Every structure is written in C-alpha cells, then in structure tokens.
Amino acid sequence: MSRIQTRFEHLRAQGRTALIPFVTAGDPSPEVTLELMHRMVAAGADLIELGVPFSDPIADGPVIQRATERALAQGVSLRTVLGIVRRFRATDDETPVVLMGYLNPIEVMGDKAFADAARAAGMDGALIVDVPPEESHELVDAIKAQGLDLVYLLAPTSNAERIEAIAEVASGFVYYVSVKGVTGASTLDIDEVDAKLAAIRARIALPVGVGFGIRDAATAAQVARVADAVIVGSALVGRIETLAEQGHAERIPTVIGDFLAELRAAIDETDHGGRHG
C-alpha cells in the first residue's frame, strides 16, 4: 500500500479531511522549499504537491506562472525537484509527496528513468497535467511498476466517459478542479461541486480532492464539507511571491505555516461538526 493510500485510510478512520498544499519547487530557492515542506507538515498538511517548473505551464494562472519563472531563473529542473524530495525524506518518511507538472521534462528524462528516479528520491505519485489517460500507457506502466500513484485531474466539464477512463488508470486520489479556467480562479459554487463529486464517486472509488478557488479558511471549510481533501495552491504561491519581492524570503516558511494552520483549524472544525461528524 502506498503512502498516499495509507494516509487517506488513516484520515478516513479519524473522520478527517486531508489538507494538501501546492508550492512550486525552487521558488524562490530550493533551500526555502525544503524548509517550507517541513513547516507545512508541522502546520497540518497531510500530503504535499510539489510543482515542477516548466517553461510553458498552460494549465496555470499568472501567479503560478510567475513562480515557475522564478524557479527556472534559479536553474531548478526536474532533477532538482527530486533532489529536494530526497533531502526531505532524510527526516520525514511518512508525509506523501506528489509531483505536479508537465510531460516534457519527463520525456526528456525518459518514462522509466523518471519513475526509477522518483521512487529512489521518495516520491509517492505524479500528476502530469497534459497527459490524458488515453495516451499515457507507457508512463502509467513505468510509474506503477515502481509502486507510485498516478493522479488525474477532473473538471466541471468532465463527462461520464471521461470519468470512466480516468477510473481505469488513476490511483491514490483524483483531483477535481472546482472551477473552469486556470489556477487562481476565484468563483466557487459549493453546491455545483457537491453535485459533481457525487457523479465522480459513482464511478471512482478513490478519494477526491478539490482545488482551484480556495483562497482562505472560509472557502477551505466549505470544500471540506463535501471533499476528501482540500487542495490549496495559488493562495500560498501568491504569499510566497509577495514576501520574495519584499526581500523577506526567510519569512516564507513561517507565514505559509501560519496560513495553513488557519486552514487546518477551519477544516477540522467542519469535520467535527459537519460531513464527517
């Protein structure tokens, strides 16, 4: 059983919703990312998504695009990201880490070489944004041969056929994009999300995490009432950007940790009195 599966089973037994933060690896530096990962876990993160910098992040909004540019300016590559995970694993062997990125850097490395390196580094899964399930068989085989999970995105526009296709190949959890558009969108209709999750769960037995549009404790609590995981990205990356621009990169782990602790408290309050209660 993978670390991701183990973590979700543990949370389910406790009646708790997972908190999954996303940050771009290497923004504003690999050292800050490593410290930040540990601080996020201490603040209540259950899994971590690490974004791999890529020159053409088509699914990401301007906030994460700029984070990618900052990381690329630091020379951060896929191998750099795996190195950060390896160092994280030196003192944390329990928190699942999912790589989130695009196919091109993996193709450069090679499917099998990537899967082997990811496993050796201590990665638990991958979400490759631009790999549809119909075209990912070689990568799926390489990743699953190493016991890693392959996470897929579902959207408000995903029909039953698409959900069925992802059910065939996904493992660990699935990521539901709660609003149409790129990352950083802000319009969140929780009733629509709830209805779509019901349609997804009718076909996929995996936990369903919900991201996009989660910007504060209130929206995190809303999502926690209907989802198995609350995924937050742009709200974190925007804070990182502000601190880096102000010359206060050393404050990033503390500020992000404090913000995640607020989300964690709101989610736990919902779990104790709402959906899981």
Side-chain angles (χ1 to χ4, degrees), residues 106-245:
I106 294 174
E107 286 188 326
V108 171
M109 183 180 288
D111 291 342
K112 185 178 185 303
F114 162 72
D116 293 350
R119 175 69 175 184
M123 190 73 70
D124 299 289
L127 195 170
I128 313 304
V129 176
D130 52 348
V131 176
E134 301 86 358
E135 301 175 11
S136 60
H137 300 299
E138 290 183 7
L139 181 59
V140 168
D141 291 344
I143 287 176
K144 292 194 173 181
Q146 287 294 342
L148 305 177
D149 288 316
L150 197 59
V151 181
Y152 280 89
L153 294 169
L154 285 167
T157 54
S158 298
N159 58 26
E161 183 179 0
R162 178 71 171 181
I163 296 171
E164 295 277 4
I166 287 176
E168 292 292 321
V169 293
S171 60
F173 68 99
V174 294
Y175 185 143
Y176 177 65
V177 176
S178 62
V179 296
K180 298 176 183 177
V182 296
T183 57
S186 59
T187 303
L188 181 64
D189 186 324
I190 200 64
D191 291 331
E192 287 186 6
V193 172
D194 192 16
K196 191 65 178 186
L197 293 191
I200 292 170
R201 289 180 173 128
R203 295 172 173 84
I204 298 179
L206 296 172
V208 184
V210 173
F212 288 43
I214 298 169
R215 59 192 179 275
D216 52 27
T219 49
Q222 280 187 299
V223 170
R225 294 189 180 98
V226 299
D228 300 299
V230 174
I231 304 171
V232 57
S234 293
L236 304 182
V237 177
R239 284 167 168 80
I240 291 171
E241 178 176 48
T242 297
L243 290 166
E245 288 180 345

Side-chain angles (χ1 to χ4, degrees), residues 2 4-7 12 18 51 54 68 94 100 113 133 140 144 147-148 150 162 165 183 206 228 247 257 262 265 274:
S2 72
I4 295 173
Q5 292 171 293
T6 300
R7 179 55 55 94
R12 186 180 300 111
F54 179 54
T68 288
E94 295 183 357
M100 187 172 184
V140 168
K144 292 194 173 181
L148 305 177
L150 197 59
R162 178 71 171 181
T183 57
L206 296 172
D228 300 299
E262 293 177 12

